[in-house]
Amino acid sequence: MEKLEGYIDHIIYRNGDNGYTVMVLASGEDEVTCVGTLTYVGEGEKVELQGQYITHPSYGEQFKIESCTVKAPEDEESAERYLGSGAIRGVGAALAARIVRRFRADTFRIIEEEPERLAEIKGISERKAREIAGQVYEKRDMRRAMIFLQQFGITTALAVKIYQKYGADIYRVIQENPYQLADDIYGVGFRIADEIAMRAGVQADSEYRIKCAVFYILQQAGGEGHVYLPKEQLTRRAAELLGVPLEDIDQYLVDLSIERKIVIKREEQERIYSAASYFMEMNTARMLCDLNITGEIDEAVILRKIAAIERETGTVLDVMQKKAVMEAVRCGLLVITGGPGTGKTTTINTLIAYFESEGLQILLAAPTGRAAKRMTEATGYEARTIHRMLEISGLQEGEASHFDRNAQNPLDADVIIVDEMSMVDVYLMHALLDAVNVGTRLIMVGDRNQLPSVGPGSILKDIIESGQVPVVYLTRIFRQASESDIVVNAHKINRGEYVTLDNKSRDFFFLKRNDANVIISIVIQLIREKLPRYVDAKPYDIQVLTPMRKGLLGVERLNRILQEYLNPPDRSKREHEQGGQVFREGDKVMQIRNNYQIEWEIRGRYGIPVERGVGIFNGDLGVIREINLHTERVTVEFDEQRMVEYPCSALEELELAYAVTIHKSQGSEYPAVVIPLLSGPRMLMNRNLLYTAVTRARRCVTIVGEEQTFRQMIGNTIEQKRYTTLAERIRELSAQAETEA
């Protein structure tokens, strides 16, 4: 075993999960490429390595690290190199040199014991002096924490997040209740916390363990779209997860109820809610009922105004579209639902013209940036995402993100029109309703046959099924839309009718193949060569939609393959591996969870920010513009030129998006979609899913796969049940209001 001592000159590559690092060590006058799994080390640090020289077939001689010891800066050269390396924010090479010239070999003692003396240096205020000392302490403490956490099998990336959350308190948390990690840290589920707890010596039947498992299962159920779980299902899942028989789960449920973490409702069946989900759903029902008021209208007057709008715009409304305008004038709350080509946009435009002629203030919104952009293009009026309309905030350091528009500061509008309502989950609906004054008209537009929201709830369907809110159904397919086979076939799929697959269409194609690798080869050819010219779009604008995450044609495998063909490795493109996934400059990526606090900025000339905001949301698509391995940050450009910098430790929020699940494509529209289709789970491969996929395309749908699977999906009307009670709550509150009246 050989020893090597020197300074980390720069890090070429680091795997955020396991700490595997490729770096260049400045040792004397030599520079040595070193590889190995390291604890938390950064550029500029002095290290002593033990290991051996090896010869890599591609990269030549390297030093393979067996162990690494970080040495505190002992002399002036070490101190200056470390401080000037960029490891300490706000200290560059010039300032580092001034600090070391002033304090010599005493530099680090001064920083640790008398940090206020740094203010003696020109350019350093007392505040900055404290910040520099704080960073030095933090890096030292973090390194100790990394070593402590590694004994529990915790990855480097996760260890950083745990330390950032708890600081010096990590030792108490790990030793007393490791399950607290599952509550506090995104990315730590029950299984990871359980593995840590087992290593820390927690018993299998520990009360902490069982209660954490119950709460974790409810959180997982929310990710599946459920607002609650029946007690029997919760008990069964808990027993499977824990691996121990649960003779009496009631005592733990009662404890969690007393702690106000869950709500137990004993109705037709015993239902278990997380407390947040229960009160969110209940308050959503109450606010909907408050808005659901009606007034008297003069139909003849309204019809004359509609006729005038038709003359001005050159449109002709059918009976149901006119009814929608009537109901919008009469009611405080209205749902307009219909499939593609049924005139929802024309109806929205007529509503805008009508209410504008009345001098009313109108706001337009949609759940995603893409849906809002499409709404803007279709109406000529600015539409914003619901999040931006509610003015999401949280830019001040230490300030939690929140919506500035709420019950105390409601939206300034007489009419609010929200499109793509099928995508709205219970959390977003609650936030929206909280900011709407009673007396403001709320018009919800959507297609009830689309897949439900990614988040918990089934808002649009539940409101319709409550039977208490006015609903207008648009069913007529208009002439222009009827010329599109995308629209015609989407309606056939929705009705369970036979779809002709003779490829004589101009915008709906079916290429019959039954081998997964052949299907992928055709998909690549379509994206790279055929479709860009056919629909006049870039390959990146063409979206692959697939039913599943796993399997031969699942998102995970497709993205790995498509990345190699659409954005192959190149010396000019930097890359970073995280979670077994390689991110490369130029990659198409998707945000996979709501992050209300992450900052974005729109940059003008010379990269100067001209607008700032917070919040990137589940399903937002972007492109990786830069990977900076020195600062360990990845810059992604999202819609509307919003630039976001992610620390490498937060990249689990992103995944490659050359292919996305059909569920994740909701609310988006693409010039062309390609749908690879082979057999899959019957519960998943249903009519609803196929209908949603087909309706995502604007100019061309190409399905590549088995005709039998396509036919079976049309015939399969089984949908996964969502456990929600919004419809019941609306009916209960409506009945209560009638009784009190």
Side-chain angles (χ1 to χ4, degrees):
M1 184 122 14
E2 297 186 59
K3 281 188 180 181
L4 202 58
E5 190 171 293
Y7 304 95
I8 299 174
D9 186 75
H10 64 279
I11 293 171
I12 299 170
Y13 169 84
R14 174 175 278 154
N15 184 308
D17 292 311
N18 56 29
Y20 179 78
T21 303
V22 180
M23 66 185 192
V24 173
L25 188 79
S27 180
E29 295 184 1
D30 297 327
E31 288 193 345
V32 183
T33 301
C34 304
V35 299
T37 301
L38 301 178
T39 54
Y40 191 79
V41 294
E43 294 178 352
E45 293 191 285
K46 187 176 183 180
V47 293
E48 182 183 282
L49 307 178
Q50 287 193 325
Q52 58 187 345
Y53 284 97
I54 61 170
T55 303
H56 189 279
S58 301
Y59 302 112
E61 189 177 65
Q62 300 176 335
F63 188 82
K64 186 178 180 183
I65 303 164
E66 299 295 334
S67 68
C68 170
T69 304
V70 178
K71 313 277 281 186
E74 298 165 346
D75 52 37
E76 294 175 32
E77 183 189 1
S78 301
E80 184 175 337
R81 186 184 284 265
Y82 177 68
L83 290 173
S85 69
I88 305 299
R89 289 188 307 277
V91 179
L95 185 55
R98 292 208 300 275
I99 293 171
V100 175
R101 269 202 309 272
R102 176 73 177 81
F103 298 115
R104 304 291 181 181
D106 216 19
T107 296
F108 269 82
R109 187 196 65 78
I110 295 290
I111 290 173
E112 291 184 2
E113 297 177 13
E114 303 176 75
E116 68 280 357
R117 289 192 58 195
L118 290 174
E120 297 171 14
I121 310 294
K122 185 179 179 181
I124 300 181
S125 63
E126 287 187 13
R127 179 182 173 185
K128 188 165 186 176
R130 288 193 298 272
E131 287 176 356
I132 292 169
Q135 288 184 65
V136 171
Y137 295 148
E138 184 180 7
K139 286 181 180 295
R140 182 194 62 198
D141 293 345
M142 181 180 270
R143 188 174 298 112
R144 290 173 185 163
M146 297 295 108
I147 295 167
F148 170 74
L149 292 171
Q150 278 189 331
Q151 66 185 297
F152 299 102
I154 297 170
T155 66
T156 303
L158 183 55
V160 171
K161 290 169 72 174
I162 293 172
Y163 179 80
Q164 287 170 344
K165 174 66 180 175
Y166 300 116
D169 212 27
I170 59 166
Y171 308 100
R172 180 193 61 78
V173 171
I174 296 291
Q175 287 160 359
E176 290 183 11
N177 179 19
Y179 296 103
Q180 189 177 334
L181 299 174
D183 287 345
D184 294 345
I185 298 174
Y186 176 78
V188 179
F190 173 82
R191 294 182 191 281
I192 292 175
D194 198 38
E195 189 177 326
I196 295 167
M198 293 297 105
R199 290 175 186 243
V202 175
Q203 296 299 309
D205 59 354
S206 154
E207 177 186 344
Y208 279 140
R209 184 170 187 254
I210 294 170
K211 284 159 69 173
C212 179
V214 167
F215 195 63
Y216 169 72
I217 290 163
L218 289 176
Q219 288 178 315
Q220 290 294 100
E224 296 163 16
H226 304 303
V227 175
Y228 74 92
L229 280 179
K231 181 186 170 187
E232 311 80 61
Q233 193 174 136
L234 176 68
T235 305
R236 177 178 52 77
R237 287 196 190 191
E240 289 173 1
L241 182 65
L242 291 163
V244 296
L246 284 176
E247 303 297 337
D248 182 19
I249 198 174
D250 286 353
Q251 60 174 312
Y252 304 107
L253 296 180
V254 170
D255 285 348
L256 285 166
S257 180
I258 291 169
E259 292 167 19
R260 298 187 177 182
K261 285 192 171 182
I262 69 169
V263 172
I264 305 168
K265 297 297 287 184
R266 294 177 174 87
E267 296 165 314
E268 298 169 13
Q269 59 178 340
E270 204 161 348
R271 297 167 174 162
I272 315 297
Y273 302 75
S274 72
S277 296
Y278 175 78
F279 290 110
M280 201 78 72
E281 189 181 67
M282 178 62 83
N283 286 329
T284 297
R286 177 186 56 76
M287 290 187 287
L288 283 167
C289 290
D290 289 345
L291 291 175
N292 192 18
I293 54 179
T294 56
E296 296 297 321
I297 59 171
D298 187 330
E299 291 192 10
V301 171
I302 295 171
L303 285 171
R304 283 199 295 273
K305 288 187 176 181
I306 291 172
I309 292 169
E310 286 179 309
R311 286 194 298 273
E312 287 172 19
T313 58
T315 56
V316 179
L317 304 188
D318 75 352
V319 173
M320 296 311 293
Q321 289 175 308
K322 289 177 182 176
K323 182 183 178 185
V325 179
M326 290 276 197
E327 291 293 277
V329 176
R330 186 177 71 88
C331 305
L333 198 62
L334 175 66
V335 172
I336 302 171
T337 184
T342 56
K344 294 193 297 293
T345 298
T346 302
T347 306
I348 291 172
N349 283 330
T350 306
L351 289 169
I352 292 169
Y354 183 94
F355 289 123
E356 215 175 29
S357 72
E358 297 287 295
L360 300 183
Q361 179 72 27
I362 306 162
L363 291 178
L364 306 183
T368 67
R370 285 179 169 241
K373 185 179 179 183
R374 211 166 69 245
M375 197 179 187
T376 299
E377 291 167 351
T379 63
Y381 286 78
E382 183 194 8
R384 291 175 288 173
T385 63
I386 297 173
H387 294 91
R388 291 190 77 178
M389 182 176 73
L390 296 177
E391 297 175 19
I392 189 167
S393 182
L395 278 171
Q396 300 302 315
E397 191 173 340
E399 179 186 2
S401 62
H402 60 277
F403 291 114
D404 284 343
R405 293 291 183 172
N406 48 43
Q408 287 70 48
N409 182 29
L411 291 164
D412 183 18
D414 302 300
V415 181
I416 299 170
I417 303 173
V418 181
D419 199 6
E420 294 287 358
M421 268 299 300
S422 61
M423 294 183 64
V424 177
D425 64 24
V426 68
Y427 297 123
L428 189 55
M429 189 66 185
H430 183 274
L432 171 63
L433 292 171
D434 193 43
V436 179
N437 265 332
V438 174
T440 298
R441 291 178 176 86
L442 178 61
I443 300 166
M444 298 169 282
V445 184
D447 184 348
R448 66 172 307 196
N449 294 307
Q450 295 283 355
L451 290 168
S453 58
V454 175
S458 188
I459 298 296
L460 183 62
K461 282 186 178 178
D462 283 356
I463 291 173
I464 293 170
E465 288 173 9
S466 73
Q468 303 300 308
V469 176
V471 181
V472 176
Y473 298 89
L474 303 180
T475 55
R476 177 186 164 194
I477 304 176
F478 286 84
R479 185 184 64 79
Q480 188 176 357
S482 68
E483 294 172 1
S484 164
D485 285 320
I486 295 173
V487 172
V488 170
N489 288 339
H491 283 277
K492 285 182 177 180
I493 290 166
N494 193 39
R495 294 191 296 264
E497 297 174 1
Y498 185 84
V499 175
T500 303
L501 302 177
D502 59 8
N503 288 336
K504 292 180 180 177
S505 167
R506 289 178 300 171
D507 60 8
F508 193 98
F509 303 98
F510 197 107
L511 307 180
K512 298 173 186 177
R513 304 289 189 277
N514 56 18
D515 179 272
N517 291 329
V518 173
I519 289 171
I520 292 171
S521 177
I522 291 172
V523 167
I524 292 166
Q525 189 180 18
L526 286 167
I527 296 172
R528 292 173 75 184
E529 301 168 21
K530 307 287 187 184
L531 288 173
R533 290 197 305 270
Y534 190 71
V535 298
D536 189 24
K538 298 174 184 174
Y540 270 37
D541 295 327
I542 295 161
Q543 190 61 55
V544 178
L545 303 180
T546 181
M548 294 168 289
R549 290 199 59 79
K550 306 286 185 182
L552 294 175
L553 293 178
V555 161
E556 293 173 9
R557 181 170 186 250
L558 282 171
N559 272 321
R560 284 196 300 272
I561 296 171
L562 291 171
Q563 182 191 43
E564 288 303 300
Y565 283 91
L566 300 178
N567 188 32
D570 189 292
R571 284 176 177 266
S572 66
K573 295 177 183 176
R574 284 164 292 201
E575 55 185 57
H576 177 85
E577 185 177 348
Q578 185 90 6
Q581 185 168 251
V582 174
F583 292 100
R584 186 173 296 133
E585 289 176 337
D587 272 337
K588 183 177 179 180
V589 292
M590 174 183 278
Q591 175 81 10
I592 59 171
R593 76 174 181 100
N594 289 338
N595 186 330
Y596 296 96
Q597 299 211 249
I598 196 164
E599 298 178 24
W600 53 260
E601 60 185 31
I602 297 172
R603 297 170 182 170
R605 292 183 67 185
Y606 312 115
I608 299 170
V610 294
E611 184 181 348
R612 284 192 171 96
V614 292
I616 296 293
F617 306 106
N618 195 347
D620 284 356
L621 287 174
V623 176
I624 294 177
R625 295 302 184 199
E626 182 186 8
I627 296 175
N628 189 322
L629 295 173
H630 178 70
T631 60
E632 295 197 334
R633 300 187 81 78
V634 175
T635 303
V636 179
E637 181 179 353
F638 288 95
D639 290 338
E640 301 172 317
Q641 297 179 306
R642 292 174 298 156
M643 309 296 284
V644 177
E645 285 194 3
Y646 290 82
C648 287
S649 60
L651 287 182
E652 77 272 1
E653 294 189 15
L654 294 175
E655 67 180 20
L656 296 176
Y658 299 100
V660 302
T661 60
I662 295 167
H663 219 128
K664 287 280 192 182
S665 72
Q666 290 177 92
S668 295
E669 188 178 71
Y670 311 97
V673 300
V674 181
I675 307 168
L677 211 56
L678 283 176
S679 58
R682 180 166 168 74
M683 183 63 76
L684 180 66
M685 307 290 279
N686 58 31
R687 179 187 298 175
N688 195 216
L689 194 80
L690 183 60
Y691 173 78
T692 299
V694 168
T695 54
R696 297 307 90 208
R698 188 162 59 246
R699 295 181 216 152
C700 183
V701 170
T702 307
I703 302 172
V704 189
E706 290 182 335
E707 181 177 354
Q708 182 183 3
T709 300
F710 177 79
R711 303 287 181 204
Q712 286 172 347
M713 289 181 77
I714 294 174
N716 180 13
T717 57
I718 298 171
E719 292 179 40
Q720 183 177 7
K721 177 177 172 55
R722 286 203 165 193
Y723 293 113
T724 70
T725 42
L726 181 63
E728 289 177 42
R729 302 288 174 240
I730 294 171
R731 285 194 288 267
E732 287 169 5
L733 290 169
S734 297
Q736 184 181 324
E738 285 179 19
T739 303
E740 291 171 357

